[in-house]
Amino acid sequence: MTSTPLPGHPHIAYRDDALFIEDCALSDLARQHGTPLYVYSKASMLDALAAYQRGFAGRKVQICYAMKANSSLAVLQLFARQGCGFDIVSGGELQRVLAAGGDPRKIIFSGVGKTRAEMRQALQAGIGCFNVESEPEIDVLNEVALELGVQAPISIRVNPNVDPKTHPYISTGLKGNKFGVAHERTVATYQRAAALPGLRVVGIDCHIGSQITEATPYLDAVDRMLDLVQAIEAAGIAIHHIDFGGGLGIDYNGDTPPAADALWAQLLARLDARGYGDRQFMIEPGRSLVGNAGVCLTEVLYVKPGEQKNFCIVDAAMNDLPRPAMYQAFHAIVPLQAPAAAGGAAAQVYDVVGPVCESGDWLGRDRELAVQPGDQLAVLSAGAYCSAMGSNYNTRTRPAELLVDGGTAHVIRARETVADTFRSERLVAG
Ligand SMILES: *Cc1c(COP(=O)(O)O)cnc(C)c1O
């Protein structure tokens, strides 16, 4: 048997002609559980986490998985058992972490629009830190904490305004977006927060964007953060932890992001050089922990030749995997049986599209595939921001999800039923 791992996916490999995830043949899983189907590799997630842990060996760090990337309970449970905390963005995510056995003290709560009810819920759960994103939010959080007779631990999310020209893909750490407090307002905002009785300043944080594939923006952000820490501490306010956010990219299409350990070796060298290497650090990785651990399996329903385009119509759609429709994102699509073995169909260039009634419903464009109806395909890099962004559009039920551990596939989400999708709806009486 020859085993050929897919580039960037060490735990997904053709063994001879059949595509495996760890020790499970994906076509067997598709047959047993149906399609569309999400399948995740536990080893991939643990490897991705281990790269961060190696990078921070000997340092004080809390890794908070940014769970919006993939919030399935069993995924949260896996990371909680490894000692991870969680970066949450809603009260719903807080309840998920608690349901999965996560430690509330290791939760940080990000997001520009926290409601009073969510603040109350998080204070009652005893979360570790609120990452506050605006001056008005500071006042509201102070009020809510005083009503409960507690102090809210806070860090302020600063917007480091990392140069957009050299790094145009960074979308959340720039002037002119909704996230964080402007660099120039930071010290004044800390002074205001430190004076409020319902708040306790514990840290500072930033998050400069997502799918970042170079070290330079992080190095720039570290420098700007340290300038701010220096200025805030000079104003008499102690900063206990520094949170660098998430955003490290993955290989979707030959992308070459730095490995997490190599990146952090570089960043920690910069922190050491400036005398901050022994601080308490936090990071909030999402995509880089789970993105390349997952695939979405789908079956070819029809091949439809066209005058300008050939269409490969599959049973997964934009409601299952919205990133292509939302961001024109690229996901590699590969057959579960290597083309040589499949026989029959000749390779052609297809747009791979789903059954949803929208022209935006595509999973891949201009892909060379040798397919016929009944063949099965895997959409790669589907572990992050795929299932989690799914919907029931067209009354399509959510796919089942499996977590593979070696030769065992655990069902971590049963396929939704149509009855589930309208359980909370009511007809009008009379
Ligand atoms: C989404 C998000 C993250 C994670 O980003 P990734 O690109 O998935 O690593 C981290 N922190 C905050 C505040 C976020 O909104």
Side-chain angles (χ1 to χ4, degrees), residues 307-359:
E307 260 170 44
Q308 294 178 354
K309 290 244 176 203
N310 298 316
F311 293 101
C312 170
I313 303 170
V314 299
D315 67 358
M318 63 185 284
N319 71 294
D320 304 304
L321 201 154
R323 295 187 71 256
M326 271 185 81
Y327 315 114
Q328 314 226 307
F330 180 95
H331 286 264
I333 301 176
V334 300
L336 299 197
Q337 272 317 113
Q348 292 206 51
V349 175
Y350 291 100
D351 276 10
V352 180
V353 302
V356 163
C357 302
E358 298 275 345
S359 293

Side-chain angles (χ1 to χ4, degrees), residues 52 66 68-69 87 89 110-111 131 133 157 179 205-207 209-211 245-248 284-288 384-385:
Y52 280 101
K68 70 180 189 289
D87 176 50
V89 293
S110 301
N131 287 353
E133 301 222 15
R157 176 168 176 182
F179 299 101
D205 79 284
C206 72
H207 171 67
S210 204
Q211 186 54 20
L248 181 59
E284 308 165 356
R287 186 191 315 271
S288 55
Y385 304 110

Side-chain angles (χ1 to χ4, degrees), residues 167-211:
H167 315 294
Y169 37 70
I170 295 169
S171 55
T172 66
L174 295 174
K175 280 186 182 170
N177 71 52
K178 68 179 178 181
F179 299 101
V181 170
H183 201 265
E184 313 77 62
R185 292 285 309 153
T186 302
V187 175
T189 309
Y190 267 96
Q191 283 171 320
R192 178 164 163 194
L196 294 174
L199 304 182
R200 181 164 45 90
V201 170
V202 294
I204 186 168
D205 79 284
C206 72
H207 171 67
I208 57 175
S210 204
Q211 186 54 20

